[in-house]
Amino acid sequence: MKNKKLVYLVQGAMIAAVYAAATYLSALLGIAYGPIQFRFSEALTILAVFTPAAIPGLTVGCVLGNITSPFGVWDIVFGSAATLAAAIFARLLRNVKIKNFPLLSLLMPVVFNAIIVGAEITFLFPSQAPSLAAFAISALEVGAGELAVCLAGGIPVYYGIRKTGLFK
């Protein structure tokens, strides 16, 4: 018999570790922070479809990944809040499927990061004066990077997990 609490804890811890490591890899390549971001770790947000343990796992992983952000505590707080909200809504929408695929779940990190991280960058990035136009540009840049990673990484992760039954 599985100890459900232990499984939940281990799944969350593993997701947090992989998310943080993937964020650091993106940071080493210079694509994790800033106006245009391609965090490999964001492909893992689809895990919320499979297990509720992904919600704290992704959030803790994001907190750890944002420790090296040039935006400091602001990114730790707001970037991680975006990930938390995205994970919660991805989990809530997991049963809403288009052609048997949870597309809305996949799009939640795109929406929340575009809005929250886009606003964060608008106010903290030194080369931009805060304005609605600056926010729109930041939101589109963050959203585009997020969409690319979620599609290119999240879709294969989803189908790979579905095929292997990893979280059953």
Side-chain angles (χ1 to χ4, degrees), residues 8 23 30 43 50 62 74 76 92 121 127 135 137 140 147 157:
Y8 182 89
T23 300
F50 296 101
C62 190
W74 297 103
I76 292 170
L92 290 172
I121 289 170
S127 68
F135 167 71
I137 291 168
L140 287 172
L147 182 63
V157 167

Side-chain angles (χ1 to χ4, degrees), residues 42-46 101 106 148-160:
E42 289 297 302
L44 299 175
T45 57
I46 196 68
F101 183 78
L106 185 76
V149 171
C150 286
L151 291 175
I155 292 172
V157 167
Y158 174 78
Y159 284 113

Side-chain angles (χ1 to χ4, degrees), residues 18-167:
V18 173
Y19 185 101
T23 300
Y24 294 143
L25 176 60
S26 298
L28 284 173
L29 297 173
I31 56 175
Y33 312 109
I36 299 175
Q37 306 176 6
F38 294 98
R39 288 187 181 195
F40 305 133
S41 50
E42 289 297 302
L44 299 175
T45 57
I46 196 68
L47 295 178
V49 168
F50 296 101
T51 176
I55 296 170
L58 294 166
T59 305
V60 170
C62 190
V63 168
L64 295 172
N66 283 343
I67 288 172
T68 59
S69 169
F71 299 115
V73 71
W74 297 103
D75 209 16
I76 292 170
V77 172
F78 293 107
S80 301
T83 297
L84 174 61
I88 289 169
F89 280 90
R91 180 77 184 158
L92 290 172
L93 294 169
R94 72 187 180 279
N95 294 322
V96 178
K97 296 183 179 179
I98 299 169
K99 295 190 178 184
N100 206 29
F101 183 78
L103 182 62
L104 293 179
S105 292
L106 185 76
L107 295 178
M108 290 300 100
V110 177
V111 171
F112 283 100
N113 279 288
I115 294 168
I116 296 171
V117 176
E120 177 186 346
I121 289 170
T122 300
F123 288 104
L124 298 177
F125 207 75
S127 68
Q128 296 179 356
S131 68
L132 185 57
F135 167 71
I137 291 168
S138 291
L140 287 172
E141 289 174 337
V142 171
E146 190 77 21
L147 182 63
V149 171
C150 286
L151 291 175
I155 292 172
V157 167
Y158 174 78
Y159 284 113
I161 289 173
R162 237 180 80 185
K163 184 176 181 179
T164 63
L166 184 63
F167 286 103

